[in-house]
Amino acid sequence: GTGPLIVEASDVEQALAARRLRHDYPEQRLRDAIGEGDHLISVVGAQVGQINGLTQIDLGDWRFGLPVRISARTHAGQNGLLNIEREVDMSGPIHDKGVMILHSYLTALFAHIAPLALNASVVFEQDYQGVEGDSASCAELYALLSALSGVPLPQGIAVTGAVNQHGEVLPVGGINEKIEGWFRVCEAQGLNGYQGVLIPERNRRHLMLDAAVLDAVEQGLFHVHTATHIRDGLTLLSGQAIGLSDTGEPGAYPSDSVLGRAEATLLAYRRACRLATQARPLRRDRR
């Protein structure tokens, strides 16, 4: 009779490919929307106050990663940070907690010039299903600091990671799906050697990426960057000195650094608020 059948690597790969073919139609449609320009995602160039975050979509029988554009705007005011998702009840409690933590860290970075005269907003663009989880808090913080400093961020590097009140980058779930999802979006539009992801260093041991991603990394067409602290990620993304010491202690920042430029903007906001207050006519009690 015939001997026992042996399952080889090619058999496993074929089974996985067949499973993808059965389940990945929603993923294909969302990627097509990006390719056709209906869903706005840039994989080249640089923009101020804008960054690509990485999300994971779980359909029960299929999980996949998809990028989402995160944008931030800032101006003079007294209201602090506005989480637009929370305001319209499209944000879960874990995401709300993450935004509050990043707000706390942002305030700590500039505690030496407190109180801050800042109005700021962050939003997940073209998100119509709601958002949960804190894995975008690093990306939201980078977008906010970019908006404050005027320093552009590369659109070819997508970011995932949570942040704590000390600026440390915390690990997140679904790391492989997120990286592979971003890789497929970049691959469809043409890899240029500058694209990649920025992930928490603490997620390095969880990596088990698709062979196509590994091949692109080996060829230098795609990159996986890691960060242990906010300063690592911001240095990579900005390509400039950020002005934060190795100890991470806030203080007066060099004027030509990212945080120094943000500090100058915040001081200008404070002056604008003071001028607006002084310009208001005094109310007279005519009783």
Side-chain angles (χ1 to χ4, degrees):
T2 60
L5 297 177
I6 298 176
V7 176
E8 298 182 345
S10 59
D11 299 313
V12 176
E13 291 169 359
Q14 289 176 13
L16 292 174
R19 182 175 184 271
R20 169 176 288 278
L21 191 62
R22 291 194 302 270
H23 295 292
D24 74 344
Y25 180 72
E27 179 183 359
Q28 287 184 31
R29 293 301 303 135
L30 289 170
R31 283 209 312 271
D32 289 345
I34 295 173
E36 293 164 2
D38 296 329
H39 194 86
L40 302 182
I41 294 289
S42 300
V43 301
V44 295
Q47 295 289 335
V48 173
Q50 177 178 300
I51 197 169
N52 290 317
L54 295 174
T55 65
Q56 178 185 232
I57 297 176
D58 191 343
L59 301 178
D61 55 0
W62 188 250
R63 291 193 309 167
F64 61 95
L66 195 75
V68 61
R69 177 179 289 179
I70 298 170
S71 63
R73 300 300 297 266
T74 67
H75 55 278
Q78 303 293 341
N79 296 327
L81 176 60
L82 178 72
N83 173 10
I84 292 180
E85 264 75 27
R86 182 184 182 187
E87 295 301 310
V88 296
D89 293 327
M90 290 180 64
S91 175
I94 298 175
H95 179 252
D96 292 341
K97 178 181 177 182
V99 174
M100 290 178 181
I101 289 172
L102 81 85
H103 190 199
S104 172
Y105 180 63
L106 180 71
T107 304
L109 282 175
F110 301 103
H112 58 290
I113 57 170
L116 302 183
L118 172 68
N119 280 1
S121 61
V122 291
V123 65
F124 280 58
E125 296 189 6
Q126 293 184 283
D127 172 41
Y128 308 110
Q129 305 299 321
V131 59
E132 177 59 312
D134 61 357
S135 65
S137 54
C138 276
E140 290 167 323
L141 180 57
Y142 294 143
L144 276 168
L145 290 173
S146 171
L148 279 172
S149 66
V151 173
L153 301 176
Q155 301 302 289
I157 300 179
V159 175
T160 188
V163 62
N164 68 13
Q165 292 192 103
H166 302 287
E168 295 169 313
V169 180
L170 307 178
V172 297
I175 192 69
N176 293 294
E177 289 84 357
K178 290 175 179 178
I179 295 173
E180 290 167 1
W182 176 241
F183 171 78
R184 294 186 185 107
V185 169
C186 294
E187 184 182 39
Q189 299 190 38
L191 297 173
N192 60 15
Y194 295 98
Q195 292 141 343
V197 292
L198 174 59
I199 68 170
E201 168 65 30
R202 292 171 176 86
N203 273 128
R204 181 193 288 267
R205 66 187 182 89
H206 303 128
L207 293 179
M208 189 163 46
L209 297 166
D210 185 79
V213 181
L214 297 179
D215 290 342
V217 169
E218 288 180 0
Q219 296 173 38
L221 296 175
F222 191 80
H223 306 276
V224 179
H225 307 282
T226 63
T228 59
H229 193 275
I230 285 296
R231 64 174 174 268
D232 305 326
L234 192 57
T235 300
L236 170 74
L237 293 170
S238 68
Q240 302 180 21
I242 68 166
L244 191 63
S245 67
D246 291 340
T247 61
E249 291 299 318
Y253 304 113
S255 60
D256 59 346
S257 66
V258 176
L259 294 179
R261 292 186 177 96
E263 181 180 321
T265 300
L266 289 168
L267 290 172
Y269 288 170
R270 181 188 292 176
R271 289 193 294 270
C273 286
R274 285 176 177 171
L275 289 173
T277 301
Q278 294 170 2
R280 291 175 189 159
L282 293 175
R283 293 184 178 180
R284 297 183 180 276
D285 190 347
R286 298 185 178 181
R287 291 180 295 175

Coordinates of all heavy atoms in Angstrom, one line a residue, residues 44-119:
V44 N 2.8 58.6 -0.4 CA 4.1 59.4 -0.8 C 3.9 60.8 -0.3 O 2.8 61.2 0.1 CB 4.3 59.3 -2.3 CG1 4.6 57.9 -2.8 CG2 3.1 60.0 -3.0
G45 N 5.0 61.5 -0.3 CA 5.0 62.9 0.1 C 5.0 63.1 1.6 O 5.1 62.1 2.4
A46 N 4.8 64.4 2.0 CA 4.8 64.7 3.5 C 3.8 65.8 3.7 O 3.5 66.6 2.8 CB 6.2 65.2 3.9
Q47 N 3.1 65.8 4.8 CA 2.1 66.7 5.1 C 2.2 67.2 6.6 O 2.6 66.4 7.5 CB 0.7 66.1 4.9 CG 0.4 65.8 3.5 CD 0.1 67.0 2.6 OE1 -0.3 68.1 3.1 NE2 0.4 66.9 1.3
V48 N 1.8 68.4 6.9 CA 1.7 68.9 8.2 C 0.4 68.5 8.9 O -0.7 68.7 8.3 CB 1.9 70.4 8.2 CG1 1.7 71.0 9.6 CG2 3.3 70.8 7.7
G49 N 0.5 68.0 10.1 CA -0.7 67.7 10.8 C -1.5 66.5 10.3 O -2.7 66.4 10.5
Q50 N -0.9 65.6 9.6 CA -1.6 64.5 9.0 C -0.6 63.3 9.0 O 0.6 63.4 8.7 CB -1.9 64.8 7.5 CG -2.6 63.8 6.7 CD -3.0 64.2 5.4 OE1 -3.7 65.2 5.2 NE2 -2.4 63.6 4.3
I51 N -1.2 62.1 9.3 CA -0.4 60.9 9.4 C -1.3 59.7 9.1 O -2.6 59.8 9.3 CB 0.3 60.8 10.8 CG1 1.4 59.7 10.8 CG2 -0.8 60.4 11.9 CD1 2.3 59.8 12.0
N52 N -0.8 58.6 8.7 CA -1.6 57.4 8.5 C -1.4 56.5 9.7 O -0.3 56.1 10.1 CB -1.1 56.6 7.2 CG -1.5 57.4 6.0 OD1 -2.6 57.9 5.8 ND2 -0.5 57.4 5.0
G53 N -2.6 56.2 10.3 CA -2.6 55.2 11.4 C -3.0 53.9 10.9 O -3.4 53.7 9.8
L54 N -2.8 52.8 11.7 CA -3.1 51.5 11.3 C -4.2 50.9 12.2 O -4.1 50.9 13.4 CB -1.9 50.6 11.4 CG -0.7 51.0 10.5 CD1 0.5 50.1 10.8 CD2 -1.1 50.8 9.0
T55 N -5.3 50.4 11.6 CA -6.4 49.8 12.3 C -6.5 48.4 11.9 O -6.0 47.9 10.9 CB -7.7 50.6 12.0 OG1 -8.0 50.4 10.6 CG2 -7.6 52.0 12.3
Q56 N -7.2 47.6 12.7 CA -7.5 46.2 12.5 C -9.1 46.1 12.4 O -9.8 46.5 13.3 CB -6.9 45.3 13.5 CG -7.3 43.8 13.3 CD -6.8 43.0 14.5 OE1 -6.1 42.0 14.2 NE2 -7.1 43.3 15.7
I57 N -9.5 45.4 11.4 CA -10.9 45.1 11.2 C -11.2 43.6 11.4 O -10.5 42.8 10.8 CB -11.5 45.6 9.8 CG1 -11.3 47.1 9.7 CG2 -12.9 45.2 9.6 CD1 -11.7 47.6 8.3
D58 N -12.1 43.3 12.3 CA -12.3 41.9 12.7 C -13.8 41.5 12.2 O -14.7 42.1 12.8 CB -12.1 41.6 14.2 CG -12.2 40.1 14.5 OD1 -12.6 39.3 13.7 OD2 -11.7 39.8 15.6
L59 N -13.9 40.7 11.2 CA -15.2 40.3 10.7 C -15.6 38.9 11.3 O -16.6 38.3 10.8 CB -15.2 40.2 9.2 CG -14.8 41.5 8.5 CD1 -14.8 41.3 7.0 CD2 -15.8 42.6 8.8
G60 N -14.9 38.4 12.3 CA -15.3 37.1 12.9 C -14.5 36.0 12.2 O -13.7 35.3 12.9
D61 N -14.7 35.8 10.9 CA -14.0 34.7 10.2 C -12.8 35.3 9.5 O -12.1 34.5 8.8 CB -14.9 34.0 9.3 CG -15.6 34.9 8.3 OD1 -15.4 36.1 8.4 OD2 -16.4 34.4 7.5
W62 N -12.6 36.6 9.5 CA -11.4 37.2 8.8 C -11.0 38.5 9.5 O -11.8 39.3 9.8 CB -11.8 37.5 7.4 CG -10.7 37.9 6.5 CD1 -10.5 39.2 6.0 CD2 -9.6 37.1 6.1 NE1 -9.3 39.2 5.2 CE2 -8.7 37.9 5.3 CE3 -9.2 35.8 6.3 CZ2 -7.5 37.5 4.7 CZ3 -8.0 35.3 5.7 CH2 -7.2 36.2 4.9
R63 N -9.7 38.6 9.7 CA -9.2 39.8 10.3 C -8.2 40.4 9.3 O -7.3 39.7 8.7 CB -8.5 39.6 11.6 CG -9.4 39.2 12.8 CD -8.7 39.2 14.1 NE -7.4 38.5 14.1 CZ -6.5 38.6 15.0 NH1 -6.6 39.4 16.0 NH2 -5.4 37.8 14.9
F64 N -8.2 41.7 9.2 CA -7.2 42.4 8.3 C -6.9 43.8 8.8 O -7.7 44.4 9.5 CB -7.7 42.4 6.8 CG -9.0 43.1 6.6 CD1 -9.0 44.4 6.2 CD2 -10.2 42.5 6.8 CE1 -10.1 45.1 6.0 CE2 -11.4 43.1 6.5 CZ -11.4 44.5 6.1
G65 N -5.8 44.3 8.3 CA -5.4 45.6 8.7 C -5.7 46.6 7.6 O -5.7 46.3 6.4
L66 N -6.0 47.8 8.0 CA -6.4 48.9 7.0 C -5.9 50.2 7.6 O -6.1 50.5 8.7 CB -7.9 48.9 6.7 CG -8.3 49.7 5.5 CD1 -8.0 48.9 4.2 CD2 -9.8 50.0 5.5
P67 N -5.3 51.0 6.7 CA -4.8 52.4 7.2 C -6.0 53.3 7.3 O -7.0 53.2 6.6 CB -3.8 52.8 6.1 CG -4.3 52.1 4.9 CD -4.8 50.8 5.3
V68 N -5.8 54.3 8.2 CA -6.8 55.4 8.3 C -6.0 56.7 8.5 O -5.0 56.7 9.2 CB -7.8 55.2 9.5 CG1 -7.1 55.1 10.8 CG2 -8.9 56.2 9.5
R69 N -6.5 57.7 7.8 CA -5.8 59.0 7.9 C -6.3 59.7 9.2 O -7.5 59.8 9.4 CB -6.1 59.9 6.7 CG -5.5 61.3 6.8 CD -5.8 62.1 5.6 NE -5.1 61.7 4.4 CZ -5.2 62.2 3.2 NH1 -6.0 63.2 3.0 NH2 -4.5 61.7 2.2
I70 N -5.3 60.1 9.9 CA -5.5 60.9 11.2 C -5.0 62.3 10.9 O -3.9 62.5 10.5 CB -4.8 60.3 12.4 CG1 -5.4 58.8 12.6 CG2 -5.0 61.1 13.6 CD1 -4.6 58.0 13.6
S71 N -5.9 63.3 11.2 CA -5.5 64.7 11.0 C -5.7 65.5 12.3 O -6.5 65.1 13.1 CB -6.2 65.3 9.9 OG -7.6 65.4 10.1
A72 N -4.9 66.5 12.5 CA -5.0 67.4 13.6 C -4.9 68.8 13.2 O -4.2 69.2 12.3 CB -3.8 67.1 14.6
R73 N -5.7 69.7 13.9 CA -5.7 71.1 13.7 C -5.5 71.8 15.0 O -6.1 71.3 16.0 CB -7.0 71.6 13.0 CG -7.2 71.0 11.6 CD -6.1 71.3 10.6 NE -6.0 72.7 10.4 CZ -6.6 73.4 9.3 NH1 -7.4 72.7 8.5 NH2 -6.3 74.6 9.1
T74 N -4.8 72.9 15.1 CA -4.6 73.7 16.3 C -4.8 75.1 16.1 O -4.6 75.6 14.9 CB -3.2 73.4 16.9 OG1 -2.2 74.0 16.0 CG2 -2.9 72.0 17.1
H75 N -5.3 75.9 17.1 CA -5.4 77.3 17.0 C -5.5 77.8 18.5 O -5.6 77.1 19.4 CB -6.5 77.8 16.2 CG -7.9 77.2 16.6 ND1 -8.3 76.0 16.1 CD2 -8.9 77.7 17.3 CE1 -9.5 75.8 16.6 NE2 -9.9 76.8 17.3
A76 N -5.4 79.1 18.6 CA -5.5 79.8 19.9 C -6.8 79.6 20.5 O -7.9 79.7 19.9 CB -5.1 81.2 19.8
G77 N -6.8 79.3 21.8 CA -8.1 79.2 22.5 C -7.9 78.6 23.9 O -6.7 78.5 24.4
Q78 N -9.0 78.3 24.6 CA -8.9 77.8 26.0 C -9.5 76.5 26.2 O -9.7 76.1 27.3 CB -9.6 78.9 26.9 CG -9.0 80.3 26.8 CD -7.6 80.4 27.3 OE1 -7.1 79.5 28.1 NE2 -6.9 81.4 26.9
N79 N -9.9 75.8 25.1 CA -10.7 74.6 25.3 C -9.9 73.3 25.4 O -10.4 72.2 25.6 CB -11.7 74.5 24.1 CG -12.7 75.6 24.2 OD1 -13.1 76.0 25.2 ND2 -13.1 76.0 23.0
G80 N -8.6 73.3 25.1 CA -7.7 72.1 25.1 C -8.0 71.2 23.9 O -8.3 71.7 22.8
L81 N -7.8 69.9 24.1 CA -7.9 69.0 23.0 C -9.3 68.4 22.8 O -9.9 67.9 23.8 CB -7.0 67.8 23.3 CG -7.0 66.7 22.3 CD1 -6.6 67.1 20.9 CD2 -6.0 65.6 22.7
L82 N -9.8 68.5 21.6 CA -11.1 68.0 21.3 C -11.0 66.7 20.5 O -10.3 66.7 19.5 CB -11.9 69.0 20.4 CG -13.3 68.6 19.9 CD1 -14.3 68.7 21.1 CD2 -13.8 69.6 18.8
N83 N -11.6 65.6 21.0 CA -11.6 64.3 20.4 C -12.9 64.3 19.6 O -14.0 64.0 20.2 CB -11.5 63.2 21.4 CG -11.7 61.8 20.9 OD1 -11.7 61.7 19.6 ND2 -11.8 60.9 21.7
I84 N -12.9 64.5 18.3 CA -14.1 64.6 17.5 C -14.9 63.3 17.5 O -16.1 63.4 17.6 CB -13.8 65.0 16.1 CG1 -13.2 66.5 16.1 CG2 -15.0 64.9 15.1 CD1 -12.9 67.0 14.7
E85 N -14.2 62.2 17.5 CA -14.9 60.9 17.6 C -15.8 60.8 18.9 O -16.9 60.4 18.9 CB -14.0 59.7 17.6 CG -13.8 59.1 16.2 CD -12.9 60.0 15.3 OE1 -12.1 60.7 15.8 OE2 -13.1 59.9 14.1
R86 N -15.2 61.3 20.0 CA -15.9 61.2 21.2 C -17.1 62.2 21.2 O -18.2 61.8 21.7 CB -15.0 61.6 22.4 CG -15.7 61.5 23.8 CD -14.8 62.0 24.9 NE -15.4 61.9 26.2 CZ -14.9 62.4 27.3 NH1 -13.7 63.0 27.3 NH2 -15.5 62.2 28.4
E87 N -17.0 63.3 20.6 CA -18.0 64.3 20.6 C -19.3 63.8 19.9 O -20.4 64.2 20.1 CB -17.5 65.6 19.9 CG -16.4 66.3 20.7 CD -16.9 66.7 22.1 OE1 -18.0 67.3 22.2 OE2 -16.2 66.4 23.1
V88 N -19.1 62.9 18.9 CA -20.2 62.4 18.1 C -20.6 61.0 18.5 O -21.3 60.3 17.7 CB -20.0 62.6 16.6 CG1 -19.9 64.0 16.2 CG2 -18.7 61.8 16.2
D89 N -20.1 60.5 19.6 CA -20.4 59.2 20.1 C -19.9 58.1 19.2 O -20.6 57.1 19.0 CB -21.9 59.0 20.4 CG -22.3 59.9 21.6 OD1 -21.5 60.1 22.5 OD2 -23.4 60.4 21.6
M90 N -18.8 58.3 18.5 CA -18.2 57.2 17.6 C -16.9 56.7 18.2 O -16.2 56.0 17.5 CB -18.0 57.8 16.2 CG -19.2 58.1 15.4 SD -18.9 58.7 13.8 CE -18.1 57.3 13.0
S91 N -16.7 56.9 19.5 CA -15.4 56.5 20.1 C -15.8 55.7 21.3 O -16.6 56.0 22.2 CB -14.6 57.7 20.5 OG -13.5 57.4 21.2
G92 N -15.0 54.6 21.5 CA -15.2 53.7 22.7 C -14.4 54.2 23.8 O -13.5 55.1 23.7
P93 N -14.6 53.7 25.0 CA -14.0 54.2 26.2 C -12.5 54.0 26.2 O -11.7 54.8 26.8 CB -14.6 53.4 27.4 CG -15.2 52.2 26.7 CD -15.6 52.6 25.3
I94 N -11.9 52.9 25.6 CA -10.5 52.7 25.6 C -9.8 53.8 24.7 O -8.8 54.3 25.0 CB -10.1 51.3 25.1 CG1 -10.7 50.3 26.0 CG2 -8.6 51.1 25.0 CD1 -10.5 48.8 25.6
H95 N -10.5 54.1 23.6 CA -9.9 55.2 22.7 C -10.0 56.5 23.4 O -9.0 57.3 23.4 CB -10.7 55.3 21.4 CG -10.2 56.4 20.5 ND1 -10.9 57.5 20.3 CD2 -9.0 56.5 19.8 CE1 -10.2 58.3 19.5 NE2 -9.1 57.7 19.2
D96 N -11.1 56.8 24.1 CA -11.2 58.0 24.9 C -10.1 58.1 25.9 O -9.5 59.2 26.1 CB -12.6 58.1 25.5 CG -13.7 58.3 24.5 OD1 -13.4 58.7 23.4 OD2 -14.8 58.0 24.9
K97 N -9.8 57.0 26.6 CA -8.8 57.0 27.6 C -7.4 57.3 27.0 O -6.6 58.0 27.5 CB -8.8 55.6 28.3 CG -7.7 55.5 29.3 CD -7.7 54.1 30.0 CE -6.5 53.9 31.0 NZ -6.5 52.5 31.6
G98 N -7.2 56.7 25.8 CA -5.9 56.9 25.1 C -5.7 58.4 24.7 O -4.6 58.9 24.9
V99 N -6.8 59.0 24.3 CA -6.7 60.4 23.9 C -6.4 61.3 25.2 O -5.6 62.3 25.1 CB -7.9 60.9 23.2 CG1 -7.9 62.4 22.9 CG2 -8.1 60.2 21.8
M100 N -7.1 60.9 26.3 CA -6.8 61.7 27.5 C -5.4 61.5 28.0 O -4.8 62.5 28.5 CB -7.8 61.2 28.6 CG -9.2 61.6 28.3 SD -10.4 61.0 29.6 CE -11.9 61.6 29.0
I101 N -4.8 60.3 27.8 CA -3.5 60.1 28.2 C -2.5 60.9 27.4 O -1.6 61.6 27.9 CB -3.1 58.6 28.2 CG1 -3.8 57.9 29.3 CG2 -1.6 58.4 28.3 CD1 -3.7 56.4 29.2
L102 N -2.7 60.9 26.0 CA -1.8 61.7 25.2 C -2.0 63.2 25.5 O -1.0 63.9 25.4 CB -2.1 61.4 23.7 CG -3.2 62.0 22.9 CD1 -2.8 63.4 22.4 CD2 -3.6 61.1 21.8
H103 N -3.2 63.6 25.8 CA -3.4 65.0 26.2 C -2.6 65.4 27.5 O -2.0 66.4 27.6 CB -4.9 65.3 26.4 CG -5.2 66.8 26.6 ND1 -6.3 67.2 27.2 CD2 -4.5 67.9 26.3 CE1 -6.3 68.6 27.2 NE2 -5.2 69.0 26.6
S104 N -2.6 64.4 28.4 CA -1.8 64.6 29.6 C -0.3 64.7 29.3 O 0.4 65.6 29.9 CB -2.1 63.4 30.6 OG -1.2 63.5 31.7
Y105 N 0.2 63.9 28.4 CA 1.6 63.9 28.1 C 1.9 65.2 27.3 O 3.0 65.8 27.5 CB 2.0 62.7 27.3 CG 3.4 62.7 26.9 CD1 4.4 62.6 27.9 CD2 3.8 62.7 25.6 CE1 5.8 62.6 27.5 CE2 5.2 62.7 25.2 CZ 6.1 62.7 26.2 OH 7.5 62.7 25.9
L106 N 1.0 65.6 26.4 CA 1.2 66.8 25.7 C 1.3 68.0 26.6 O 2.2 68.9 26.5 CB 0.1 67.0 24.7 CG 0.2 68.3 23.8 CD1 1.3 68.1 22.7 CD2 -1.2 68.5 23.1
T107 N 0.5 68.0 27.6 CA 0.5 69.1 28.6 C 1.8 69.1 29.4 O 2.4 70.1 29.7 CB -0.7 69.0 29.5 OG1 -1.9 69.0 28.7 CG2 -0.8 70.2 30.5
A108 N 2.2 67.9 29.7 CA 3.5 67.8 30.5 C 4.7 68.2 29.7 O 5.6 68.8 30.3 CB 3.7 66.3 30.9
L109 N 4.7 68.0 28.4 CA 5.8 68.4 27.5 C 6.0 70.0 27.6 O 7.1 70.5 27.5 CB 5.6 68.0 26.1 CG 5.8 66.6 25.7 CD1 5.4 66.3 24.3 CD2 7.3 66.2 25.9
F110 N 4.9 70.7 27.8 CA 5.0 72.1 27.8 C 4.5 72.7 29.2 O 4.0 73.8 29.2 CB 4.1 72.7 26.7 CG 4.5 72.2 25.3 CD1 3.8 71.2 24.7 CD2 5.7 72.7 24.7 CE1 4.2 70.7 23.4 CE2 6.1 72.2 23.5 CZ 5.4 71.2 22.8
A111 N 4.7 72.0 30.2 CA 4.3 72.4 31.6 C 5.1 73.7 32.0 O 4.5 74.5 32.7 CB 4.6 71.3 32.6
H112 N 6.3 73.9 31.4 CA 7.1 75.1 31.8 C 6.5 76.4 31.2 O 6.9 77.5 31.6 CB 8.5 74.9 31.3 CG 8.7 74.7 29.9 ND1 8.3 73.5 29.3 CD2 9.2 75.5 28.9 CE1 8.5 73.6 28.0 NE2 9.1 74.7 27.7
I113 N 5.5 76.3 30.3 CA 4.9 77.5 29.8 C 3.4 77.4 30.0 O 2.6 78.1 29.3 CB 5.2 77.7 28.2 CG1 4.7 76.5 27.4 CG2 6.6 78.0 28.0 CD1 4.7 76.7 25.9
A114 N 3.0 76.6 31.0 CA 1.6 76.5 31.3 C 1.1 77.8 32.0 O 1.9 78.5 32.6 CB 1.3 75.3 32.2
P115 N -0.2 78.1 31.9 CA -1.3 77.3 31.2 C -1.2 77.5 29.7 O -0.9 78.6 29.2 CB -2.6 77.9 31.8 CG -2.2 79.3 32.1 CD -0.8 79.3 32.6
L116 N -1.6 76.4 29.0 CA -1.6 76.5 27.5 C -2.9 77.2 27.0 O -4.0 76.9 27.5 CB -1.5 75.1 27.0 CG -0.4 74.2 27.4 CD1 -0.4 72.9 26.7 CD2 1.0 74.9 27.1
A117 N -2.7 78.0 26.0 CA -3.8 78.7 25.4 C -4.0 78.0 24.0 O -3.6 78.4 23.0 CB -3.5 80.2 25.2
L118 N -4.7 76.8 24.1 CA -4.7 75.9 22.9 C -6.1 75.4 22.7 O -6.8 74.9 23.6 CB -3.7 74.7 23.2 CG -3.8 73.6 22.2 CD1 -3.2 74.1 20.8 CD2 -2.9 72.4 22.7
N119 N -6.5 75.4 21.5 CA -7.6 74.6 21.0 C -7.1 73.7 20.0 O -6.3 74.1 19.0 CB -8.7 75.5 20.3 CG -9.6 76.2 21.3 OD1 -9.4 76.1 22.5 ND2 -10.5 77.0 20.7

